[in-house]
Amino acid sequence: MSSDNKARILEGAMNVYKAKGVKFTMDDLAGELCMSKKTIYTVFPDKGTLLYEMVDFGFDTISEAQAEALSNSDLSLVDKLKTILGVLPDAYVGVDFTQLYVLKGKYPKAYTRLQERLESGWEQTLALIDKGVAEGSLRPVNKVIFQIAHEATLERFLMGDELSKNKISYEDALSELVEILTEGIIVK
């Protein structure tokens, strides 16, 4: 099966996830794609493998959006930093990422992959912070603490139920997190 079909299945899986969360079935996905389950199973042998690949697909999409922001000469350094910390591609707007805590018990490989991807890919962000400190647009901060704060908060958003209990969307929570991390809470 071509990589185009793999991408089509992953995009369809994101749509079904958006509608039904992690509890979507392969029948739901087949219906979304107007494709047989047998065809899907030639690419993804089981739902766990599909979810694992969905994690990478999602993070790869985010990485592409981050790269686009970094190369955008119209954005200031601070705006680039805010954008890459809070990027959420249009396809993911409205997706309830707070249901991902289900992965830990039912799909541990996908959960582990999610944690790995949350904790990786920081090189460009940290380099941007260094550049901002050097040019004076950012104050010196402990980058380890900054990274841990962002990662731990995102993991809590994704693996806890506080956002859904408080009726806060993932998009709004991510935006607020970026604002707090970059601007603080003190009125200036």
Side-chain angles (χ1 to χ4, degrees):
M1 179 161 281
S2 74
S3 61
D4 287 345
N5 282 334
K6 182 177 181 179
R8 181 173 167 240
I9 293 170
L10 289 167
E11 288 170 4
M14 287 301 296
N15 289 337
V16 174
Y17 175 87
K18 188 186 280 190
K20 297 192 174 203
V22 175
K23 295 179 182 181
F24 75 86
T25 66
M26 295 304 252
D27 283 325
D28 295 330
L29 179 56
E32 169 76 16
L33 296 170
C34 298
M35 179 184 287
S36 73
K37 281 195 314 185
K38 184 177 178 182
T39 302
I40 295 168
Y41 283 125
T42 63
V43 179
F44 300 103
D46 54 52
K47 185 175 173 184
T49 302
L50 173 63
L51 289 168
Y52 183 96
E53 292 278 340
M54 283 175 64
V55 169
D56 278 341
F57 183 73
F59 275 92
D60 290 347
T61 304
I62 289 168
S63 293
E64 290 170 13
Q66 289 173 330
E68 189 177 305
L70 286 169
S71 66
N72 185 341
S73 59
D74 293 334
L75 293 177
S76 70
L77 184 140
V78 171
D79 288 337
K80 286 179 182 183
L81 180 63
K82 286 181 176 184
T83 300
I84 64 174
L85 288 172
V87 72
L88 188 65
D90 290 341
Y92 298 164
V93 172
V95 173
D96 184 4
F97 291 106
T98 63
Q99 296 183 31
L100 291 177
Y101 65 89
V102 173
L103 291 177
K104 187 173 185 175
K106 291 189 176 192
Y107 304 100
K109 287 182 182 178
Y111 175 79
T112 299
R113 187 62 179 154
L114 177 63
Q115 286 185 306
E116 290 168 355
R117 292 299 300 258
L118 280 172
E119 296 168 3
S120 65
W122 276 88
E123 299 79 15
Q124 292 179 317
T125 305
L126 299 178
L128 201 57
I129 291 172
D130 285 339
K131 185 176 178 183
V133 170
E135 75 177 20
S137 59
L138 298 174
R139 72 173 181 83
V141 295
N142 184 316
K143 294 180 296 188
V144 172
I145 301 299
F146 185 90
Q147 180 178 342
I148 290 170
H150 193 270
E151 287 174 2
T153 305
L154 287 182
E155 186 170 344
R156 185 71 178 260
F157 287 171
L158 298 173
M159 303 307 169
D161 61 355
E162 291 85 1
L163 295 182
S164 58
K165 280 183 179 177
N166 290 289
K167 297 179 178 28
I168 302 170
S169 73
Y170 180 80
E171 296 88 21
D172 289 344
L174 182 59
S175 177
E176 183 72 16
L177 170 64
V178 170
E179 206 55 32
I180 290 169
L181 285 176
T182 57
E183 299 290 338
I185 62 171
I186 298 172
V187 175
K188 296 175 179 146

